[in-house]
């Protein structure tokens, strides 16, 4: 399966994870979770997230990278994404993450983050599916890409709030869901 990511304009960490994901996928639609080797992506680990589908109401953070914990001031590991998401974003999040499982695809998400000093900045994330040996998509691997802010010194390291700006499904060779939750807009 060939996928062209040059047009996606992904931030370097997101592009690196996506390229690694394509490499370990090989000829499968989705790589097995066991194909993911942390040592292969050591430089990405501080910003890496692994989520696990438990049931329709549970998408659990299995891993939250150390840089994410530092920036957010909170370790999401073991928490249910749907319970800690902004209430008005839960339905959209559920649709997007259920879609990644129902029709294998990726998701690119831009978040507006606001520091404790009330300085706004944007982070890009990419979510990609992982399957068990029988082909059931049971996890997502994600990374928080570079923060787009010209003067990072203006804000504290801790995030006070976040809001989803836009998102787009990413065709990994299996198509994308017919309904898009939000159009992906250029940011920067």
């Amino acid at each position: 399966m060939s996928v062209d990511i040059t047009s996606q304009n992904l931030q370097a960490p997101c592009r690196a994870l996506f390229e690694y994901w394509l490499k370990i996928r090989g000829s499968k639609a989705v790589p097995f979770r066991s194909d993911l080797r942390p040592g292969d992506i050591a430089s990405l680990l501080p910003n890496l997230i692994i989520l696990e589908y438990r049931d329709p109401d549970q998408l659990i953070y299995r891993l939250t990278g150390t840089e994410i914990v530092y920036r957010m001031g909170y370790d999401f590991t073991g928490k249910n994404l749907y319970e800690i998401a902004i209430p008005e974003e839960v339905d959209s999040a559920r649709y997007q993450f259920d879609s990644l499982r129902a029709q294998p695809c990726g998701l690119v998400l831009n978040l507006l983050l606001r520091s404790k000093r009330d300085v706004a900045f944007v982070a890009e994330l990419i979510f990609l599916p992982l399957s068990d040996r029988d082909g059931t998509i049971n996890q997502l691997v994600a990374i928080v890409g570079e923060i787009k802010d010209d003067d990072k010194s203006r804000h504290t390291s801790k995030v006070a709030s976040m809001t989803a700006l836009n998102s787009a499904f990413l065709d990994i060779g299996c198509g994308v869901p017919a309904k898009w939750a939000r159009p992906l807009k250029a940011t920067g």
Side-chain angles (χ1 to χ4, degrees), residues 10-138:
L10 296 174
Q11 295 293 316
C14 293
R15 180 178 298 278
L17 179 63
F18 189 37
E19 289 172 351
Y20 175 73
W21 183 92
L22 289 170
K23 178 182 165 188
I24 64 171
R25 175 180 76 171
S27 62
K28 302 181 293 284
V30 172
F32 298 135
R33 166 58 180 93
S34 59
D35 293 333
L36 189 127
R37 303 272 187 243
D40 293 345
I41 54 172
S43 66
L44 302 179
L45 293 178
N47 290 299
L48 202 73
I49 297 168
I50 295 180
L51 295 160
E52 180 177 270
Y53 293 96
R54 295 267 175 90
D55 66 41
D57 293 321
Q58 290 190 328
L59 185 56
I60 305 298
Y61 284 88
R62 291 290 308 266
L63 171 84
T64 308
T66 55
E67 181 65 17
I68 298 167
V69 173
Y70 174 74
R71 287 257 182 207
M72 298 300 293
Y74 182 79
D75 187 354
F76 295 100
T77 304
K79 305 296 183 210
N80 182 354
L81 181 141
Y82 301 131
E83 290 178 358
I84 60 175
I86 300 164
E88 51 273 6
E89 300 284 342
V90 171
D91 289 341
S92 177
R94 190 180 309 277
Y95 168 75
Q96 291 173 323
F97 292 119
D98 287 350
S99 295
L100 269 64
R101 193 174 198 189
Q103 179 171 357
C105 61
L107 176 69
V108 178
L109 173 66
N110 286 308
L111 292 177
L112 174 64
L113 305 172
R114 201 164 283 286
S115 77
K116 293 185 182 206
R117 291 186 186 170
D118 201 33
V119 175
F121 47 105
V122 177
E124 178 181 82
L125 292 84
I126 187 169
F127 296 85
L128 298 161
L130 300 169
S131 71
D132 59 18
R133 289 284 174 187
D134 73 3
T136 301
I137 294 172
N138 59 354

